[in-house]
């Protein structure tokens, strides 16, 4: 019983970590490759949840098609936003990028409130996950396992993409030296659009995947982006494995922190982030910034 | 001199305003002071702090706790609010200033959010998300006009101090560090020491603004420490123009004016704020001050030919 309880708590933490990873990895890649601090990242996570609700018309049967549509919509929306708003400000100082994406956060939050209302929107559990799995006599929600599997799959595919494909090599090269990449004849603006669209699609998927567990509200974007920043800063800006490690640490910290010291559960992630920044500012798995002359 | 005229004008304006007008102008001056404090770090020292809300909130909570728990008169709490936010700035600045650029920004954000989480959860001390309410200052300061003069005096002192600072050797040292830290340090300017002093001064003034805002609203909530409050300082500064001395204060006034105007028409104020911000960043990166300069330039009949930096 005791063991089963802790296992369940572990799985809960990992399931939360999975959606955090989907959210944070795009933020990390967008910063790494493009140097853009995307404060609107959580808004696309929120948008993903609402889009799943709309595409599936609130019906559990529509879950799978809905998830696919959310991914596709994320790519299109991400590409449009990059072209229209992000592209003009690449060479601006960071504060303008932060403000522009903050403006997008405000706009998207109100657009969703306008379209769906301020009330919570919840979504039923898809039929495939209606029954729990029994391990050691303890029922485990099978949807948690699906989330962990989804995140593991995405992490593997991203790794394969970055390490094994030409486009992936370019993305990694962009994190090192953009000018050189451009000089070698790579279409960097198109590469940026691709990275941004991919990151947004992953965030939207993450938000949609969380919907059967947690109702959507327009205010979830702000919480999400702060959590994502914590994950990315802990793991290391620009690193896929860093995002994964950060997400798992924060997920477990939440799941077990709330058991040990429920009052302080909210404080732990920020404390961990401050600690990592002080000891290893470039993150646990990040690379120290190269010295430029 | 022009500053003195502005303060004088604002002082004369006081009695002519309605209750509502006084409250609004007080709020604009407080937000203006807060944004000017932020801009000391941002423009003079080239540091983007995303944690100014920490000092704004500490100032507000110090005032609120002393008034509501210890029964202190409001005016006496102001020096303590300054002291508390200053001490917090020494600590946070000492840790954060070891990092640069985006890492500095993130660490200031982390500390402010840490304080927010504590204020939000520590019901016994801060009242948690119920906040601390019923903070009307006793006596004459509970009325709008005297309180407005207190706010105006604080604004005038703070802004006057910042103006002197900008022209002082300290101001030149900060700008030197901003433009080229290695070179500035090579000629003997202690980088860390100067930046820490700027950080603390900015924190002090933010704390003063927070304490005044708490008294104006008659209540203090954890939202005073939340990151959107830090964003407000950045927003007012960019809206007004960070490169002009009074830009942040002008931006603060414009921000509040716009909010009142839009909120009387629709509940979707964040949407409008977002659109205005988007247009400012994309088309008017120098803010209202930049637009003003452009208008003056056109009026004087100078066309084109000015090199863009």
């Amino acid at each position: 019983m005791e063991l089963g309880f802790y296992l369940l708590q572990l799985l809960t933490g990992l399931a939360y970590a999975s959606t955090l990873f989907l959210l944070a990895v795009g933020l990390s890649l967008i910063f790494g490759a493009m140097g853009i601090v995307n404060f609107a990242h959580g808004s696309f996570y929120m948008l993903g949840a609402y889009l799943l609700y709309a595409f599936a018309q609130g019906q559990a049967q529509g879950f799978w098609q809905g998830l696919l549509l959310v991914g596709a919509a994320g790519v299109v929306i991400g590409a449009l936003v990059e072209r229209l708003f992000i592209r003009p400000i690449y060479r601006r100082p960071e504060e303008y990028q932060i403000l522009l994406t903050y403006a997008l956060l405000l706009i998207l939050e109100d657009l969703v409130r306008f379209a769906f209302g301020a009330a919570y929107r919840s979504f039923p559990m898809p039929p495939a996950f209606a029954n729990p799995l029994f391990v050691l006599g303890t029922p485990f929600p099978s949807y948690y396992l699906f989330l962990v599997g989804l995140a593991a799959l995405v992490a593997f595919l991203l790794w394969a993409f970055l390490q094994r494909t030409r486009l992936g090599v370019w993305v990694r090269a962009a994190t090192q030296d953009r000018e050189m990449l451009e000089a070698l004849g790579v279409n960097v603006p198109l590469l940026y659009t691709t990275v941004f669209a991919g990151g947004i699609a992953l965030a939207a998927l993450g938000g949609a995947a969380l919907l059967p567990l947690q109702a959507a509200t327009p205010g979830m974007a702000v919480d999400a982006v702060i959590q994502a920043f914590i994950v990315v800063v802990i793991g290391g800006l620009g690193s896929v494995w860093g995002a994964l490690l950060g997400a798992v640490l924060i997920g477990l910290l939440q799941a077990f922190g709330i058991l040990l010291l429920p009052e302080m559960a909210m404080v732990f992630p920020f404390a961990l982030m401050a600690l990592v920044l002080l000891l290893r500012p470039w993150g646990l798995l990040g690379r120290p910034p190269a010295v430029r002359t | 001199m022009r500053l003195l005229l502005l303060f004088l004008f604002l002082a004369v304006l006081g009695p002519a305003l309605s209750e509502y007008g006084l409250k609004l102008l007080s709020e604009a001056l407080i937000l203006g002071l807060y944004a000017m404090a932020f801009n000391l770090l941002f423009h003079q020292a080239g540091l983007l702090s995303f944690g100014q809300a920490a000092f704004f909130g500490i100032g507000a909570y110090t005032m609120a706790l002393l008034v509501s728990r210890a029964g202190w008169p409001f005016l006496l709490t102001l020096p303590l609010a300054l002291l508390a936010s200053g001490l917090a700035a020494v600590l946070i600045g000492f840790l954060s200033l070891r990092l640069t650029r985006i890492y500095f920004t993130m660490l200031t954000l982390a500390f402010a959010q840490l304080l927010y989480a504590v204020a939000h959860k520590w019901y016994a001390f801060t009242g948690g998300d119920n906040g601390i309410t019923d903070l009307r200052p006793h006596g004459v300061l509970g009325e709008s006009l005297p309180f407005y003069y207190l706010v105006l005096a604080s604004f005038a002192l703070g802004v006057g101090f910042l103006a002197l600072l900008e022209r002082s050797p300290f101001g030149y040292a900060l700008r030197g560090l901003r433009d080229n830290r290695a070179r500035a340090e090579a000629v003997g300017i202690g980088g860390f020491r100067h930046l820490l002093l700027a950080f603390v001064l900015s924190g002090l003034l933010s704390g003063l603004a927070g304490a005044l805002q708490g008294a104006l609203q008659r209540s203090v909530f954890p939202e005073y420490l939340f990151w959107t409050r830090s964003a407000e300082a950045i927003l007012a500064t960019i809206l007004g123009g960070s490169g002009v001395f009074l830009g942040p204060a002008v931006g603060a006034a414009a921000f509040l004016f716009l909010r009142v105007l839009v909120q009387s028409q629709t509940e979707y104020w964040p949407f409008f704020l977002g659109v205005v911000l988007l247009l400012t960043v994309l088309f008017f990166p120098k803010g209202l001050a930049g637009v003003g300069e452009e208008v003056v330039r056109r009026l004087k009949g100078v066309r084109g030919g000015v090199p863009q930096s």
Side-chain angles (χ1 to χ4, degrees):
Chain A
M1 180 58 212
E2 270 291 279
L3 182 66
F5 175 74
Y6 284 113
L7 276 178
L8 180 63
Q9 209 59 26
L10 179 72
L11 187 62
T12 310
L14 288 179
Y16 178 57
S18 303
T19 56
L20 264 186
F21 169 70
L22 292 178
L23 171 66
V25 73
L27 184 72
S28 187
L29 283 177
I30 288 169
F31 181 81
M34 304 164 63
I36 293 284
V37 183
N38 183 19
F39 255 89
H41 209 70
S43 307
F44 298 103
Y45 180 77
M46 170 197 66
L47 205 58
Y50 277 100
L51 284 179
L52 173 67
Y53 184 87
F55 288 145
Q57 288 160 347
Q59 302 294 313
Q61 288 80 2
F63 178 71
W64 297 108
Q65 301 96 295
L67 214 53
L68 282 179
L69 284 173
V70 166
V75 171
V76 174
I77 293 170
L80 277 176
V81 167
E82 196 276 339
R83 279 290 163 106
L84 288 175
F85 303 120
I86 310 291
R87 184 163 291 186
I89 55 155
Y90 281 134
R91 301 196 181 281
R92 295 275 196 85
E94 274 142 8
E95 58 273 16
Y96 287 102
Q97 301 168 359
I98 290 178
L99 274 177
L100 184 117
T101 52
Y102 182 57
L104 290 177
L105 180 147
L106 292 171
I107 291 172
L108 284 171
E109 185 171 328
D110 260 10
L111 280 181
V112 164
R113 186 171 288 142
F114 185 72
F116 293 90
Y120 284 74
R121 295 277 172 168
S122 56
F123 191 82
M125 188 54 71
F129 306 106
N131 297 316
L133 287 173
F134 283 88
V135 180
L136 301 170
T138 315
F140 284 98
S142 48
Y143 193 74
Y144 287 10
L145 293 171
F146 162 70
L147 282 181
V148 173
L150 181 67
L153 180 71
V154 167
F156 173 75
L157 289 178
L158 266 180
W159 172 80
F161 164 74
L162 287 173
Q163 297 296 326
R164 295 278 182 266
T165 68
R166 170 158 300 203
L167 197 56
V169 171
W170 287 347
V171 172
R172 282 190 294 139
T175 63
Q176 298 294 313
D177 194 331
R178 274 159 249 169
E179 284 81 13
M180 183 52 84
L181 195 63
E182 200 142 30
L184 291 172
V186 174
N187 186 344
V188 172
L190 187 64
L191 184 71
Y192 280 4
T193 310
T194 314
V195 170
F196 198 82
I200 295 310
L202 285 176
L205 268 182
L210 188 66
L211 188 61
L213 294 179
Q214 204 176 346
T217 76
M220 70 193 272
V222 171
D223 292 331
V225 75
I226 291 283
Q227 294 286 321
F229 269 122
I230 296 176
V231 164
V232 166
V233 167
I234 288 175
L237 286 160
S239 155
V240 171
W241 296 120
L244 189 62
L245 177 67
V248 169
L249 283 176
I250 291 296
L252 294 182
L253 197 63
Q254 290 281 15
F256 288 100
I258 215 154
L259 289 182
L260 295 172
L261 277 169
E263 296 284 289
M264 300 291 282
M266 235 174 102
V267 179
F268 287 141
F270 297 113
L272 183 61
M273 170 170 158
L275 196 68
V276 169
L277 271 171
L278 286 172
L279 299 178
R280 236 181 113 85
W282 51 88
L284 295 176
L285 297 183
R287 243 177 274 198
V291 179
R292 291 252 176 130
T293 46
Chain B
M1 191 60 218
R2 272 190 291 178
L3 274 182
L4 284 179
L5 281 178
L6 173 73
F7 299 150
L8 203 64
F9 170 71
L10 286 171
V12 174
L13 194 61
L17 291 170
S18 64
E19 281 284 298
Y20 180 67
L22 280 172
K23 191 166 182 291
L24 205 63
L25 198 53
S26 300
E27 195 172 354
L29 289 175
I30 293 170
L31 184 60
L33 177 63
Y34 176 46
M36 297 285 296
F38 162 79
N39 205 33
L40 167 66
L41 277 183
F42 181 62
H43 183 65
Q44 304 287 320
L47 291 166
L48 174 59
S49 158
F50 220 118
Q52 284 308 98
F55 313 115
F56 189 85
I58 285 178
Y61 267 105
T62 307
M63 181 280 293
L65 287 169
L66 286 173
V67 167
S68 71
R69 305 272 199 274
W72 282 37
F74 168 69
L75 262 186
L76 276 185
T77 67
L78 287 183
L80 265 288
L82 279 170
L83 187 68
S85 45
L87 282 177
V90 170
L91 190 67
I92 293 179
F94 181 77
L95 295 171
S96 304
L97 283 167
R98 299 195 300 171
L99 307 183
T100 53
R101 297 169 57 81
I102 188 73
Y103 298 104
F104 167 82
T105 303
M106 284 291 147
L107 192 53
T108 52
L109 172 67
F111 281 123
Q113 286 296 108
L114 199 63
L115 288 169
Y116 165 75
V118 170
H120 195 272
K121 286 291 166 195
W122 198 359
Y123 283 89
F125 188 56
T126 62
D129 52 6
N130 298 324
I132 300 171
T133 51
D134 211 13
L135 290 173
R136 183 190 175 96
H138 291 297
V140 72
L141 277 178
E143 289 159 35
S144 293
L145 191 60
F147 188 77
Y148 169 76
Y149 280 120
L150 174 71
V151 169
L152 181 58
S154 312
F155 179 82
L157 282 175
V159 169
F161 175 66
L162 287 172
L164 290 179
L165 210 65
E166 194 186 351
R167 292 180 187 83
S168 72
F170 178 70
Y172 282 98
L174 283 185
R175 292 194 289 280
L177 286 163
R178 174 195 69 189
D179 293 338
N180 192 332
R181 182 160 178 174
R183 225 179 259 183
E185 286 184 336
V187 297
I189 296 170
F192 190 80
R193 215 159 37 86
H194 279 82
L195 294 178
L196 184 60
L197 184 56
F199 195 90
V200 172
L201 291 175
S202 168
L204 280 173
L205 292 177
S206 302
L208 178 62
L212 290 171
Q213 177 71 16
L216 179 73
Q217 295 286 330
R218 314 253 191 265
S219 53
V220 174
F221 292 99
E223 277 65 36
Y224 274 55
L225 293 155
F226 199 52
W227 67 275
T228 47
R229 186 70 71 163
S230 303
E232 259 177 31
I234 307 176
L235 212 139
T237 299
I238 300 284
L239 205 61
S242 67
V244 176
F245 180 68
L246 273 178
V250 173
F255 170 78
L256 282 179
F257 176 72
L258 198 67
R259 191 173 75 187
V260 170
L261 200 70
V262 173
Q263 277 182 340
S264 67
Q265 302 295 324
T266 163
E267 58 177 307
Y268 296 103
W269 149 245
F271 178 82
F272 280 88
L273 176 61
V275 171
V276 168
L277 198 53
L278 200 71
L279 296 177
T280 307
V281 171
L282 287 178
F283 302 112
F284 309 105
K286 286 180 177 172
L288 287 172
V291 176
E293 277 173 5
E294 180 73 10
V295 168
V296 169
R297 203 161 59 83
R298 290 273 166 89
L299 284 179
K300 284 183 179 166
V302 184
R303 280 169 202 283
V306 172
Q308 294 288 312
S309 59

